[in-house]
Amino acid sequence: MTTSEKTVLRSPLGILATATATHGTGRDEDIPLPRLPGFVESAFSPLAYEVSRQCLTERPGDGSRTAVALAALLGDTTTADLASRRMVSGKVHNPLLFMQATPNSVLGHTSREFGITGQMFSVSTLDDPVTELLAMADLLLEDPELDRVLVLGVELGGGERLAALYRELTADGDRPVPGLPASAGLAAAVLLGRPGAGATVTVRSADASGPGSGAPAGDRPGSIQGLFDLATAHRELLRDGGSRLLPRPAAFVLTAESEARNETSTHAHQ
């Protein structure tokens, strides 16, 4: 599926928890890189685990009824580049780099720590990761054996090799190359279920012809900024209530639980 097809949610989703983490970006909220045993050099896995940990600790649940989906355009490019440089320079190969080079490695670590035995997916998209991940969660939650889906995205900075990859992937477009420092990393996670299952905020697709629909996915191909925007909107709704429009290529409306109940009651009496 692609965001250009205006993917919509067949049913509303409920947000159980959100988390974000940044490292080396120059933002005020940057954190030291968390230590993650068995993972070295790269920010990818430590940041992915950190935001997953925050969500799963805040809202613990049945791991057998939890699925996970991770989105990253190019995966752990820091590890891939380091392994390539070592090979070219004739150094002994580090088996840790081979293990952690695939995003599934940190998903396996997360599943072991939190007892998750549901499906796990890693996806790569040039389109809007928010739309792709929410649509995937909506589909997965049609499975009666699942109650929750943890979706997360990770984005790394990089050097000239990464820039060259972006230019090749977007050769037919005009989106810019990421401007993150080489050692920087971003991660965001959202724990989702269906409304009424302890969710504090609901998410539904906005009217395809309404305001905000067709908004750009971000200034970088595969950017996870939309996940940060969703997490910010979630925090604001918990504090202030009401509703927020999340402009994406397929826009979404986020509504605080009390507002969602009022809307449902109003429709039921009409």
Side-chain angles (χ1 to χ4, degrees):
M1 80 188 72
T2 64
T3 52
S4 61
E5 295 169 343
K6 301 291 184 189
T7 303
V8 295
L9 301 179
R10 292 178 294 180
S11 302
L13 298 170
I15 299 179
L16 300 168
T18 60
T20 60
T22 66
H23 170 76
T25 66
R27 302 182 184 186
D28 292 339
E29 59 269 28
D30 276 357
I31 63 172
L33 191 63
R35 292 179 59 85
L36 188 62
F39 295 86
V40 297
E41 302 293 343
S42 173
F44 187 97
S45 293
L47 291 179
Y49 179 79
E50 175 62 19
V51 293
S52 299
R53 181 196 64 78
Q54 289 182 36
C55 286
L56 295 169
T57 301
E58 179 181 341
R59 298 297 297 268
D62 186 348
S64 69
R65 300 184 64 83
T66 301
V68 183
L70 183 155
L73 177 58
L74 296 172
D76 188 349
T77 51
T78 300
T79 295
D81 283 354
L82 178 58
S84 296
R85 289 197 301 270
R86 289 178 62 90
M87 181 179 67
V88 170
S89 63
K91 294 182 179 178
V92 176
H93 180 64
N94 184 338
L96 281 179
L97 300 182
F98 176 79
M99 182 276 295
Q100 74 179 31
T102 63
N104 287 342
S105 295
V106 70
L107 296 186
H109 181 83
T110 302
S111 69
R112 184 172 63 252
E113 291 295 310
F114 291 93
I116 295 173
T117 57
Q119 301 97 316
M120 294 199 170
F121 303 88
S122 295
V123 299
S124 172
T125 177
L126 277 169
D127 295 306
D128 177 33
V130 171
T131 305
E132 302 288 346
L133 288 171
L134 292 185
M136 178 173 280
D138 183 30
L139 179 62
L140 288 169
L141 287 169
E142 292 295 311
D143 185 343
E145 296 187 357
L146 287 178
D147 293 328
R148 313 187 311 164
V149 180
L150 177 69
V151 300
L152 63 152
V154 184
E155 187 175 352
L156 297 182
E160 179 54 33
R161 182 181 178 186
L162 180 63
L165 285 171
Y166 272 97
R167 285 193 293 269
E168 182 174 342
L169 288 169
T170 60
D172 57 347
D174 57 359
R175 286 186 286 181
V177 170
L180 291 172
S183 60
L186 311 169
V190 184
L191 185 61
L192 298 161
R194 289 298 186 196
T200 51
V201 172
T202 61
V203 185
R204 62 177 175 83
S205 290
D207 183 348
S209 60
S213 179
D219 61 351
R220 301 183 299 275
S223 169
I224 67 166
Q225 181 57 45
L227 285 172
F228 278 78
D229 296 340
L230 190 155
T232 298
H234 177 244
R235 289 193 295 268
E236 291 175 349
L237 288 168
L238 291 180
R239 183 188 65 214
D240 304 328
S243 296
R244 298 284 189 280
L245 178 68
L246 186 69
R248 313 306 307 157
F252 299 97
V253 175
L254 281 66
T255 307
E257 184 186 34
S258 59
E259 300 290 336
R261 283 202 302 265
N262 290 339
E263 284 187 17
T264 300
S265 177
T266 298
H267 290 312
H269 287 85
Q270 286 179 346

